[in-house]
Amino acid sequence: MAITAPDRTGTVTITIDGREITAAEGSTIFQAAKAAGIDIPVLCHDERYDPVGVCRMCVVDVGAPAFAAACVRACENGMEVKTSTPELERSRAVLTEMLLSDQPDREQDAKQAKTGDNELLALADRFGVTQDALPRASGRGTDFSSPVIAVDHDSCILCDRCVRACDDIQGNDVIGRSGKGYATRIAFDLNDPMGESSCVSCGECVAACPTGALTNKPIREIPIRPRTELDAVDTVCPYCGVGCALTYYVDREHNAISFAEGREQPGSHGRLCVKGRYGWDYAASPQRLTKPLIRREESYPKGALSADVRGEMTGDAPKERRRRRKPGGLVDYAEVMPHFREATWEEALDLVARRLTEIHAAGGPAAIAGFGSAKCSNEEAYLFQKLIRTGFHTNNVDHCTRLCHASSVAALFEGIGSGAVSTTYGDVINADVAIVTGSNSTSNHPVASSFFKQARRQGTTVIYIDPRADKMADHADIYCQLKPGTDVAFYNALMHEIIRLDLVDHDYIAGRTSNYEALAQTVRDYPPERAEQITGVPADVIRRVARIWGEAGAGVIYWGMGISQHTTGTDNARCLIALCAITGNIGRPGSGLHPLRGQNNVQGASDMGLIPMFYPDYQKADDAGVKARFEQAWGTGDLDPKRGLTVTEIIGSALKGGVRGMYMLGENPFLSDPNINKVRKALSALEFLVVQDIFLTETAEFADVILPASSYLEKDGTYTNTDRRVQLGRKVLDSPGEARLDWQVVQDIANRIGLGWDYTSPREVFEEMVSVIPSYKNLTYDNLGLTGKLYPNPDPEHSDGTVVMFGDRFNTDDGLAHLVPAEWLPARELPSEEYPFVLNTGRMLEHWHTGSMTRRSYALDAIAPKALVFVHPDDAAGLGLADGDLARVTSRRGSIELEVKVSHREARGNCFIPFHFREAAANLLTIDEIDPFGKIPEFKFCAVRIEAAHA
Ligand code: SF4
Ligand code: SF4
């Protein structure tokens, strides 16, 4: 049949195996056949990657002299395709036989023995090909240097799926090829061992490999068995705000996870990072708390129990005591446990209820406070804040959002009337230009960063702005290494230049914003030359960025804690809001504002009202109408009429004897809060502290009662990611010992203080929650499905939810974006002769928050076992320090010792210390100055001294 041009509808009609099929113009034969339910075998092809057509397994007969590779050959009108003639089957069988001849012994094949996923062996079964009589090649070797991935080069068929997975999907660009001819093999970097290469252990290549050349290693000796022998539980990653969808394959015999796999969801597309793919075994740690604990009488007066938490890691302690620090840095159970005795749940809960009630009776609502956690589910967060508010009549309830994006939320509420993101990170694909700022996103939001990298490959201009040249800088079109704490000056200069060039969107400013004149007046004083003096970014580069942003059809800004964790954090975010608004970049696809949320449920916990100034759904705590509504909804008559204290204010109040009793659910302020010498004193000063957690944390050492909680993996509940995606987390494992579900423990305490709750399940809590949270309207446990839904969502039965918000109006009273000008202010503690370096703190890819989970994960601890201070090579040389040397870092508040990592990613005069490591706690050094609006501490800037330490 003659092949003709496509018809006018943008479709083509072809015949496949005698069936007439209409396909979109440009579709490949493989795509058209798949859509019609016709199976064509493939090996090198995966629909997530660009097709390369190298393996020839998918060849089909299109009536031409040579067979065509269906994965690359486009459909043409009138084409007649045969997919399974005897000749085609013979061709595929011969190909399979040839490939199999190079494979190791099938019986010993690792992947076949493990998951049963070996696609080549499945084809061998299909075509009846056996290995028995075939010659077998070998000698390309194995590589077991990675803690999590085994490489068997003999099983590799050089299909390049791993190369494309690493490059095209994750944007890590680690795998290439080395060697020639028969010795050709995949290579990591410059043919380095995988464990020593720049591989970040995301496991995408393992997921892509069709032959078992790349396989997961067992974690904690739990065997990786065929998936048919395992239970599959679809849930969500417990770590960061990206909230990747995954499936755990569970070995019920061992009550343990065998392996994890990403699954399709619009926000993650099956991708995972090292934490999601390999960091789940913390739940099986022998250090799990399994019984309630009560402090022994003889262990009063209260205080820290282990040597390092008592202060001996400050570097001021005598050397012999410092030497006692344990490698690995976890709480020393042998030292701390003797100070507690086991108790029954009845006894422990009675004591908690009695003591909190007594303190409340004596000191009033101001004497009680609660810290919830962004690791907890929405249902747990909702119940926890309801308990503190209705049981103790105080709004003193907060969580780690205070340490993360509180200033962003303050600015967003003031500016656009909503603290949530205006668009998703996946929407970056629709942006002409994306600014990623103050965000080490390849470490902190790895899968989101893969979307940024992918968008750039498809044409989005990526501008990366950060004092540290994080890996994101390698993937940016322009990188601006501004000096720490100079963001306001930088963004004011961008706006100055955009206004000067008249690149603003006048219609948008007139119709959608207020206070533009005041903003323009302020930024007039920030010409690029002045900004260069302040920020260190050349004026020409500022001008170039301004022009690119101003001329873009759609621009979006993603930011992290490099913006928010400053005493000027709210001002920093105000500038980002203004930059978007004056160029009309909020409310259209590919444009908007997105503070990348830290923990897995920090968005949800905030939505649930786990914050002192808002009831659920950001309804103002000091608004009489709101108070009356919640009193009616909750059947109580005496809610606190004023805002409560924030995390940092509660610590300050405890020091002065204000807050005297605290309930701590899953939070570890001893390591996460700034200036922890002060935190130590505050925790010691509390009359009563109950800690509910899965491990004995540093904070639990100060507790009167410790309640063993359930881990993320042991419960059902919903979690809301940074995109506003509400997803169901499902129970994977049973809790150990007497550990209990958190929502049930909260309810038991509520009932002991007379609240009379009778929730029977998280689903029931969710239903109540939705009834008081208009943003979550229409969402139910049933319609969330496997992929969750974005809120707001008018029709969750048929829609994924709203990606782009504020198309017509903002949530402010007048519907306009309120532009708030900001003047640049220097950081509170500047470098001096005595403390010449600027300390920046943050996270590492492999670890999370205070490390209580990740440091108990075999893989994550193996890859990143120790605390490091990252220093520029010139600074290191000037200090006489080299990689691996022990350095002492000292601020006005304390001193720690840790290994030096010489790094080109730091700027001269700056250093970076991750805050996960108790044995070198970065927050001993940080300053507890806070942003006046968001009350967020200045984690990103304080002055320190670095010197060689001698062990
Ligand atoms: S694990 Fe990830 S980063 Fe490492 S080689 Fe594979 S795909 Fe690349
Ligand atoms: S990017 Fe975040 S949510 Fe996704 S796997 Fe990694 S830690 Fe988990």
Side-chain angles (χ1 to χ4, degrees), residues 7 25 47 78 258 264 282 386 480 510 548 558 897:
D7 68 23
E25 192 182 344
E47 285 175 279
S258 176
E264 181 53 33
Y282 66 90
K386 184 176 173 183
C480 302
I548 290 171
Y558 299 95
E897 290 177 5

Side-chain angles (χ1 to χ4, degrees), residues 370-393:
F371 284 179
S373 170
K375 290 192 194 312
C376 289
S377 67
N378 287 326
E379 292 78 359
E380 291 159 351
Y382 176 78
L383 288 187
F384 188 76
Q385 60 85 35
K386 184 176 173 183
L387 166 71
I388 299 294
R389 288 186 155 123
T390 59
F392 302 103
H393 317 293

Side-chain angles (χ1 to χ4, degrees), residues 149 165-166 172 174-175 188 194 199-205:
I149 296 170
C166 189
N172 291 328
V174 176
I175 315 180
F188 304 96
M194 189 182 203
C199 167
V200 292
S201 305
C202 68
E204 192 75 41
C205 53

Side-chain angles (χ1 to χ4, degrees), residues 146 148-149 162-163 165-167 170 172-175 188 194 197-206 214 272 277-278:
S146 159
V148 289
I149 296 170
C162 61
V163 178
C166 189
D167 292 0
Q170 293 275 358
N172 291 328
D173 304 340
V174 176
I175 315 180
F188 304 96
M194 189 182 203
S197 72
S198 60
C199 167
V200 292
S201 305
C202 68
E204 192 75 41
C205 53
V206 177
L214 294 158
L272 295 173
R277 199 176 304 271
Y278 301 113

Side-chain angles (χ1 to χ4, degrees), residues 139-256:
R140 286 188 295 177
T142 53
D143 176 355
F144 300 120
S145 58
S146 159
V148 289
I149 296 170
V151 188
D152 177 1
H153 289 289
D154 286 343
S155 292
C156 174
I157 58 170
L158 296 172
C159 68
D160 279 355
R161 265 166 69 165
C162 61
V163 178
R164 285 174 285 153
C166 189
D167 292 0
D168 301 354
I169 302 299
Q170 293 275 358
N172 291 328
D173 304 340
V174 176
I175 315 180
R177 285 193 184 192
S178 72
K180 285 185 181 164
Y182 204 63
T184 306
R185 61 182 211 173
I186 59 165
F188 304 96
D189 292 343
L190 299 174
N191 213 9
D192 295 326
M194 189 182 203
E196 294 169 25
S197 72
S198 60
C199 167
V200 292
S201 305
C202 68
E204 192 75 41
C205 53
V206 177
C209 178
T211 66
L214 294 158
T215 53
N216 292 326
K217 287 181 172 177
I219 305 274
R220 283 190 199 261
E221 295 172 4
I222 300 297
I224 297 179
R225 290 163 50 189
R227 61 184 75 217
T228 49
E229 297 172 20
L230 302 167
D231 265 3
V233 183
D234 294 324
T235 183
V236 185
C237 173
Y239 287 109
C240 86
V242 178
C244 298
L246 49 68
T247 301
Y248 290 119
Y249 287 88
V250 186
D251 183 334
R252 291 292 171 210
E253 196 183 313
H254 294 89
N255 186 35

Side-chain angles (χ1 to χ4, degrees), residues 596-619:
L596 288 153
R597 297 312 198 102
Q599 297 212 42
N600 60 332
N601 200 37
V602 70
Q603 181 66 52
S606 303
D607 295 344
M608 296 305 117
L610 201 60
I611 34 185
M613 56 287 285
F614 295 120
Y615 285 107
D617 214 15
Y618 308 96
Q619 301 179 65

Side-chain angles (χ1 to χ4, degrees), residues 102 104 221 264 315 327 331 334 357 379 387 415 530 567 639 665 734:
D102 281 351
E221 295 172 4
E264 181 53 33
V331 173
T357 306
E379 292 78 359
L387 166 71
R530 181 182 173 215
T567 47
L639 292 178
L665 171 58
D734 294 328

Side-chain angles (χ1 to χ4, degrees), residues 715-736:
K715 55 197 175 191
D716 294 329
T718 59
Y719 301 83
T720 306
N721 82 349
T722 187
D723 275 350
R724 300 175 262 107
R725 180 173 298 281
V726 185
Q727 300 184 86
L728 267 174
R730 295 174 180 81
K731 178 181 169 181
V732 181
L733 302 171
D734 294 328
S735 297

